[in-house]
Amino acid sequence: MYLKFDYNNMMQEAIGKEGILPKEFDKNAAMIEAARKTVLDNRGKGWQEWCDLPFAPESEIDELISYCGAIGKKAESFVILGIGGSALGPLSVASALLHLHHNELPKEKRNAPKLYVEDNVDPERMASLLDVLDLKTAYFNVITKSGETSETLSQFLILYSALKKELGEEEAKKHIIVTTTIGKGTLYNVAQAEGFKIYGVGKGVGGRFSVLSPVGLVAFAALGLDVKAMLKGAAEAAKSAEERDVKKNPALLTAFLQVKAMENGKNISVLMPYADSLKFMADFYCQLWAESLGKAENLNGKTVHVGQTPAKALGVTDQHSQVQLYTEGPFDKVVTFLAVEDFRTTVVISDDKTVNACDFLKGHTLNELINAERKATEFALKKANRMNFTIYLPSVNEQTVGELLMYFMYQTAFAGAMLNIDTFNQPGVEEGKKATFAMLGRSGYEAKLEEVNAAVHKKDYII
Ligand code: PA5
């Protein structure tokens, strides 16, 4: 295990009555063990195929690395078309592991194609993308697990047409890789008919649990990232998720602490990385936590309306925006810090003798400053009796990122099991998808269109 978890500030000893008493672990031992067993017994089954992803057959991984690595070598740009779980995994990992200004680097320093993750259908964004892409050297990974998502299919239609116009049909086909469920869905059928290269997402791998499937791995290989090291890190988290002793099982432990916190009115979970490279990890976490745990009914069909609203913050930036609220606002939050012990570079604050001020900063490093500020925020929260815990990454690399992703997925699955809900469905999202189909006139959605039209806003309440 590469990661370290400090949960002192979740406990009463540190933050008084807002915290959790040590005896809660014993009191809830049966519930914790039942949740652990539910998740572990279902590994590889139903919607838990994601548990097997770190252990994918080596031959499959080798083929993916070789094919996508070759694409990455000839591509000037690699464009991901996808949304939700089909975008946030690749985005968060690539942002963590690539140079922070990757796309602006000259080609010889980049050593990989520029990356664009297009997860919206804002017309201006599409037009802007077309303004900067040279289609002759741009390769596209169209990702949709269901193969039906309007946003991704429309992006595909626009860009495939543009490619054909620019390169001709035969060449255009070679610029597209499709990641979808094999044998099912509109995109799969199109990909088969057009002869695109296809990678499969396992039937039991849901969008937000798919980052370690080809949904993420195709891009990681194209960008020259160490896919095998990432899977190794993920396997470490999978191993520690097996631990029966909750105090040795970070995913189970922090799931329990969050569920207890929710019971005590902590309805907001803030993820606050103190590293720009991990900024988009908060987006990944927010989707995973929100879509998995925000549910109307529990598994017994009882109306429960559970969930903890995730929020993202960036240290130190949001110290000057959010932390006032976190320390003095309502007692409704748990803040999780992501701390990096060893940054990939050291920047010294110059000891400029000509500036006769700021002596306390001179000669220190930004590395010291950012970590001092993180500790200072942790101190301020603790002093104000606010629940918080810290996940330490020794450094940001493929192994630690792989472990962090898998930890988040197990933590979510354990929390869902403790809440006795279906962690892996998203009926609220599906409702919106169906309404979109209806409004765009997709056949088979006529009744839905009537329902949508009937819900049209009353004019009386519009000014
Ligand atoms: O986690 C999920 O299941 C969703 O957020 C999906 O990833 C998102 O709706 C996109 O779906 P699809 O990959 O089918 O296009």
Side-chain angles (χ1 to χ4, degrees), residues 344-358:
R344 288 166 288 201
T345 190
T346 301
V347 175
V348 177
I349 305 169
S350 35
D351 187 7
D352 187 339
K353 304 274 188 282
T354 66
V355 179
N356 200 11
C358 316

mmCIF file with all atom_site columns, all heavy atoms in Angstrom, residues 344-358:
data_model
loop_
_atom_site.group_PDB
_atom_site.id
_atom_site.type_symbol
_atom_site.label_atom_id
_atom_site.label_alt_id
_atom_site.label_comp_id
_atom_site.label_asym_id
_atom_site.label_entity_id
_atom_site.label_seq_id
_atom_site.pdbx_PDB_ins_code
_atom_site.Cartn_x
_atom_site.Cartn_y
_atom_site.Cartn_z
_atom_site.occupancy
_atom_site.B_iso_or_equiv
_atom_site.pdbx_formal_charge
_atom_site.auth_seq_id
_atom_site.auth_comp_id
_atom_site.auth_asym_id
_atom_site.auth_atom_id
_atom_site.pdbx_PDB_model_num
ATOM 1   N N   . ARG A 1 344 ? 6.798  16.498 -7.809  1.00 0.00 ? 344 ARG A N   1
ATOM 2   C CA  . ARG A 1 344 ? 7.741  16.047 -8.838  1.00 0.00 ? 344 ARG A CA  1
ATOM 3   C C   . ARG A 1 344 ? 8.801  17.099 -9.154  1.00 0.00 ? 344 ARG A C   1
ATOM 4   O O   . ARG A 1 344 ? 9.717  16.858 -9.922  1.00 0.00 ? 344 ARG A O   1
ATOM 5   C CB  . ARG A 1 344 ? 6.958  15.650 -10.106 1.00 0.00 ? 344 ARG A CB  1
ATOM 6   C CG  . ARG A 1 344 ? 6.197  14.352 -9.898  1.00 0.00 ? 344 ARG A CG  1
ATOM 7   C CD  . ARG A 1 344 ? 5.173  14.088 -10.971 1.00 0.00 ? 344 ARG A CD  1
ATOM 8   N NE  . ARG A 1 344 ? 4.030  14.975 -10.851 1.00 0.00 ? 344 ARG A NE  1
ATOM 9   C CZ  . ARG A 1 344 ? 2.822  14.734 -11.379 1.00 0.00 ? 344 ARG A CZ  1
ATOM 10  N NH1 . ARG A 1 344 ? 2.623  13.631 -12.062 1.00 0.00 ? 344 ARG A NH1 1
ATOM 11  N NH2 . ARG A 1 344 ? 1.829  15.587 -11.233 1.00 0.00 ? 344 ARG A NH2 1
ATOM 12  N N   . THR A 1 345 ? 8.663  18.246 -8.538  1.00 0.00 ? 345 THR A N   1
ATOM 13  C CA  . THR A 1 345 ? 9.671  19.282 -8.742  1.00 0.00 ? 345 THR A CA  1
ATOM 14  C C   . THR A 1 345 ? 9.744  20.134 -7.469  1.00 0.00 ? 345 THR A C   1
ATOM 15  O O   . THR A 1 345 ? 8.805  20.124 -6.663  1.00 0.00 ? 345 THR A O   1
ATOM 16  C CB  . THR A 1 345 ? 9.298  20.138 -9.979  1.00 0.00 ? 345 THR A CB  1
ATOM 17  O OG1 . THR A 1 345 ? 10.382 20.983 -10.300 1.00 0.00 ? 345 THR A OG1 1
ATOM 18  C CG2 . THR A 1 345 ? 8.062  20.974 -9.745  1.00 0.00 ? 345 THR A CG2 1
ATOM 19  N N   . THR A 1 346 ? 10.860 20.808 -7.310  1.00 0.00 ? 346 THR A N   1
ATOM 20  C CA  . THR A 1 346 ? 11.009 21.698 -6.151  1.00 0.00 ? 346 THR A CA  1
ATOM 21  C C   . THR A 1 346 ? 11.239 23.114 -6.659  1.00 0.00 ? 346 THR A C   1
ATOM 22  O O   . THR A 1 346 ? 12.075 23.325 -7.542  1.00 0.00 ? 346 THR A O   1
ATOM 23  C CB  . THR A 1 346 ? 12.233 21.249 -5.301  1.00 0.00 ? 346 THR A CB  1
ATOM 24  O OG1 . THR A 1 346 ? 12.006 19.906 -4.893  1.00 0.00 ? 346 THR A OG1 1
ATOM 25  C CG2 . THR A 1 346 ? 12.422 22.127 -4.075  1.00 0.00 ? 346 THR A CG2 1
ATOM 26  N N   . VAL A 1 347 ? 10.486 24.052 -6.136  1.00 0.00 ? 347 VAL A N   1
ATOM 27  C CA  . VAL A 1 347 ? 10.682 25.453 -6.545  1.00 0.00 ? 347 VAL A CA  1
ATOM 28  C C   . VAL A 1 347 ? 11.039 26.264 -5.295  1.00 0.00 ? 347 VAL A C   1
ATOM 29  O O   . VAL A 1 347 ? 10.276 26.303 -4.324  1.00 0.00 ? 347 VAL A O   1
ATOM 30  C CB  . VAL A 1 347 ? 9.411  26.023 -7.226  1.00 0.00 ? 347 VAL A CB  1
ATOM 31  C CG1 . VAL A 1 347 ? 9.585  27.516 -7.536  1.00 0.00 ? 347 VAL A CG1 1
ATOM 32  C CG2 . VAL A 1 347 ? 9.100  25.254 -8.505  1.00 0.00 ? 347 VAL A CG2 1
ATOM 33  N N   . VAL A 1 348 ? 12.217 26.885 -5.370  1.00 0.00 ? 348 VAL A N   1
ATOM 34  C CA  . VAL A 1 348 ? 12.692 27.674 -4.237  1.00 0.00 ? 348 VAL A CA  1
ATOM 35  C C   . VAL A 1 348 ? 12.152 29.100 -4.348  1.00 0.00 ? 348 VAL A C   1
ATOM 36  O O   . VAL A 1 348 ? 12.135 29.683 -5.435  1.00 0.00 ? 348 VAL A O   1
ATOM 37  C CB  . VAL A 1 348 ? 14.247 27.695 -4.218  1.00 0.00 ? 348 VAL A CB  1
ATOM 38  C CG1 . VAL A 1 348 ? 14.770 28.565 -3.083  1.00 0.00 ? 348 VAL A CG1 1
ATOM 39  C CG2 . VAL A 1 348 ? 14.793 26.283 -4.106  1.00 0.00 ? 348 VAL A CG2 1
ATOM 40  N N   . ILE A 1 349 ? 11.713 29.640 -3.228  1.00 0.00 ? 349 ILE A N   1
ATOM 41  C CA  . ILE A 1 349 ? 11.293 31.051 -3.205  1.00 0.00 ? 349 ILE A CA  1
ATOM 42  C C   . ILE A 1 349 ? 12.578 31.865 -3.080  1.00 0.00 ? 349 ILE A C   1
ATOM 43  O O   . ILE A 1 349 ? 13.321 31.710 -2.093  1.00 0.00 ? 349 ILE A O   1
ATOM 44  C CB  . ILE A 1 349 ? 10.344 31.332 -2.013  1.00 0.00 ? 349 ILE A CB  1
ATOM 45  C CG1 . ILE A 1 349 ? 9.147  30.368 -2.057  1.00 0.00 ? 349 ILE A CG1 1
ATOM 46  C CG2 . ILE A 1 349 ? 9.884  32.791 -2.003  1.00 0.00 ? 349 ILE A CG2 1
ATOM 47  C CD1 . ILE A 1 349 ? 8.286  30.370 -0.813  1.00 0.00 ? 349 ILE A CD1 1
ATOM 48  N N   . SER A 1 350 ? 12.852 32.676 -4.084  1.00 0.00 ? 350 SER A N   1
ATOM 49  C CA  . SER A 1 350 ? 14.205 33.257 -4.147  1.00 0.00 ? 350 SER A CA  1
ATOM 50  C C   . SER A 1 350 ? 14.524 34.154 -2.951  1.00 0.00 ? 350 SER A C   1
ATOM 51  O O   . SER A 1 350 ? 13.668 34.877 -2.437  1.00 0.00 ? 350 SER A O   1
ATOM 52  C CB  . SER A 1 350 ? 14.410 34.002 -5.460  1.00 0.00 ? 350 SER A CB  1
ATOM 53  O OG  . SER A 1 350 ? 13.211 34.602 -5.830  1.00 0.00 ? 350 SER A OG  1
ATOM 54  N N   . ASP A 1 351 ? 15.763 34.027 -2.564  1.00 0.00 ? 351 ASP A N   1
ATOM 55  C CA  . ASP A 1 351 ? 16.276 34.768 -1.420  1.00 0.00 ? 351 ASP A CA  1
ATOM 56  C C   . ASP A 1 351 ? 16.817 36.105 -1.948  1.00 0.00 ? 351 ASP A C   1
ATOM 57  O O   . ASP A 1 351 ? 18.017 36.375 -1.902  1.00 0.00 ? 351 ASP A O   1
ATOM 58  C CB  . ASP A 1 351 ? 17.381 33.900 -0.788  1.00 0.00 ? 351 ASP A CB  1
ATOM 59  C CG  . ASP A 1 351 ? 17.868 34.491 0.504   1.00 0.00 ? 351 ASP A CG  1
ATOM 60  O OD1 . ASP A 1 351 ? 17.268 35.480 0.975   1.00 0.00 ? 351 ASP A OD1 1
ATOM 61  O OD2 . ASP A 1 351 ? 18.858 33.963 1.033   1.00 0.00 ? 351 ASP A OD2 1
ATOM 62  N N   . ASP A 1 352 ? 15.912 36.930 -2.435  1.00 0.00 ? 352 ASP A N   1
ATOM 63  C CA  . ASP A 1 352 ? 16.304 38.148 -3.150  1.00 0.00 ? 352 ASP A CA  1
ATOM 64  C C   . ASP A 1 352 ? 16.672 39.256 -2.153  1.00 0.00 ? 352 ASP A C   1
ATOM 65  O O   . ASP A 1 352 ? 15.806 39.855 -1.514  1.00 0.00 ? 352 ASP A O   1
ATOM 66  C CB  . ASP A 1 352 ? 15.128 38.576 -4.049  1.00 0.00 ? 352 ASP A CB  1
ATOM 67  C CG  . ASP A 1 352 ? 15.481 39.728 -4.969  1.00 0.00 ? 352 ASP A CG  1
ATOM 68  O OD1 . ASP A 1 352 ? 16.456 40.452 -4.666  1.00 0.00 ? 352 ASP A OD1 1
ATOM 69  O OD2 . ASP A 1 352 ? 14.776 39.902 -5.972  1.00 0.00 ? 352 ASP A OD2 1
ATOM 70  N N   . LYS A 1 353 ? 17.981 39.519 -2.073  1.00 0.00 ? 353 LYS A N   1
ATOM 71  C CA  . LYS A 1 353 ? 18.484 40.492 -1.078  1.00 0.00 ? 353 LYS A CA  1
ATOM 72  C C   . LYS A 1 353 ? 18.036 41.922 -1.409  1.00 0.00 ? 353 LYS A C   1
ATOM 73  O O   . LYS A 1 353 ? 18.031 42.798 -0.557  1.00 0.00 ? 353 LYS A O   1
ATOM 74  C CB  . LYS A 1 353 ? 20.013 40.451 -1.024  1.00 0.00 ? 353 LYS A CB  1
ATOM 75  C CG  . LYS A 1 353 ? 20.579 39.070 -0.720  1.00 0.00 ? 353 LYS A CG  1
ATOM 76  C CD  . LYS A 1 353 ? 20.668 38.805 0.787   1.00 0.00 ? 353 LYS A CD  1
ATOM 77  C CE  . LYS A 1 353 ? 21.403 37.542 1.125   1.00 0.00 ? 353 LYS A CE  1
ATOM 78  N NZ  . LYS A 1 353 ? 20.637 36.297 0.940   1.00 0.00 ? 353 LYS A NZ  1
ATOM 79  N N   . THR A 1 354 ? 17.697 42.174 -2.700  1.00 0.00 ? 354 THR A N   1
ATOM 80  C CA  . THR A 1 354 ? 17.324 43.543 -3.078  1.00 0.00 ? 354 THR A CA  1
ATOM 81  C C   . THR A 1 354 ? 15.910 43.892 -2.609  1.00 0.00 ? 354 THR A C   1
ATOM 82  O O   . THR A 1 354 ? 15.527 45.051 -2.576  1.00 0.00 ? 354 THR A O   1
ATOM 83  C CB  . THR A 1 354 ? 17.402 43.760 -4.611  1.00 0.00 ? 354 THR A CB  1
ATOM 84  O OG1 . THR A 1 354 ? 16.411 42.945 -5.220  1.00 0.00 ? 354 THR A OG1 1
ATOM 85  C CG2 . THR A 1 354 ? 18.777 43.436 -5.154  1.00 0.00 ? 354 THR A CG2 1
ATOM 86  N N   . VAL A 1 355 ? 15.122 42.869 -2.282  1.00 0.00 ? 355 VAL A N   1
ATOM 87  C CA  . VAL A 1 355 ? 13.779 43.149 -1.756  1.00 0.00 ? 355 VAL A CA  1
ATOM 88  C C   . VAL A 1 355 ? 13.863 43.102 -0.233  1.00 0.00 ? 355 VAL A C   1
ATOM 89  O O   . VAL A 1 355 ? 14.114 42.040 0.354   1.00 0.00 ? 355 VAL A O   1
ATOM 90  C CB  . VAL A 1 355 ? 12.739 42.116 -2.268  1.00 0.00 ? 355 VAL A CB  1
ATOM 91  C CG1 . VAL A 1 355 ? 11.367 42.416 -1.695  1.00 0.00 ? 355 VAL A CG1 1
ATOM 92  C CG2 . VAL A 1 355 ? 12.701 42.096 -3.783  1.00 0.00 ? 355 VAL A CG2 1
ATOM 93  N N   . ASN A 1 356 ? 13.654 44.242 0.358   1.00 0.00 ? 356 ASN A N   1
ATOM 94  C CA  . ASN A 1 356 ? 13.848 44.331 1.800   1.00 0.00 ? 356 ASN A CA  1
ATOM 95  C C   . ASN A 1 356 ? 12.545 44.035 2.539   1.00 0.00 ? 356 ASN A C   1
ATOM 96  O O   . ASN A 1 356 ? 12.018 44.865 3.266   1.00 0.00 ? 356 ASN A O   1
ATOM 97  C CB  . ASN A 1 356 ? 14.382 45.741 2.122   1.00 0.00 ? 356 ASN A CB  1
ATOM 98  C CG  . ASN A 1 356 ? 15.057 45.740 3.478   1.00 0.00 ? 356 ASN A CG  1
ATOM 99  O OD1 . ASN A 1 356 ? 15.299 44.686 4.059   1.00 0.00 ? 356 ASN A OD1 1
ATOM 100 N ND2 . ASN A 1 356 ? 15.332 46.930 3.993   1.00 0.00 ? 356 ASN A ND2 1
ATOM 101 N N   . ALA A 1 357 ? 12.012 42.848 2.322   1.00 0.00 ? 357 ALA A N   1
ATOM 102 C CA  . ALA A 1 357 ? 10.743 42.441 2.951   1.00 0.00 ? 357 ALA A CA  1
ATOM 103 C C   . ALA A 1 357 ? 10.553 40.942 2.722   1.00 0.00 ? 357 ALA A C   1
ATOM 104 O O   . ALA A 1 357 ? 11.390 40.293 2.086   1.00 0.00 ? 357 ALA A O   1
ATOM 105 C CB  . ALA A 1 357 ? 9.581  43.210 2.332   1.00 0.00 ? 357 ALA A CB  1
ATOM 106 N N   . CYS A 1 358 ? 9.476  40.426 3.219   1.00 0.00 ? 358 CYS A N   1
ATOM 107 C CA  . CYS A 1 358 ? 9.074  39.015 3.006   1.00 0.00 ? 358 CYS A CA  1
ATOM 108 C C   . CYS A 1 358 ? 10.134 38.021 3.482   1.00 0.00 ? 358 CYS A C   1
ATOM 109 O O   . CYS A 1 358 ? 10.257 36.917 2.926   1.00 0.00 ? 358 CYS A O   1
ATOM 110 C CB  . CYS A 1 358 ? 8.778  38.696 1.536   1.00 0.00 ? 358 CYS A CB  1
ATOM 111 S SG  . CYS A 1 358 ? 7.807  39.871 0.645   1.00 0.00 ? 358 CYS A SG  1
#
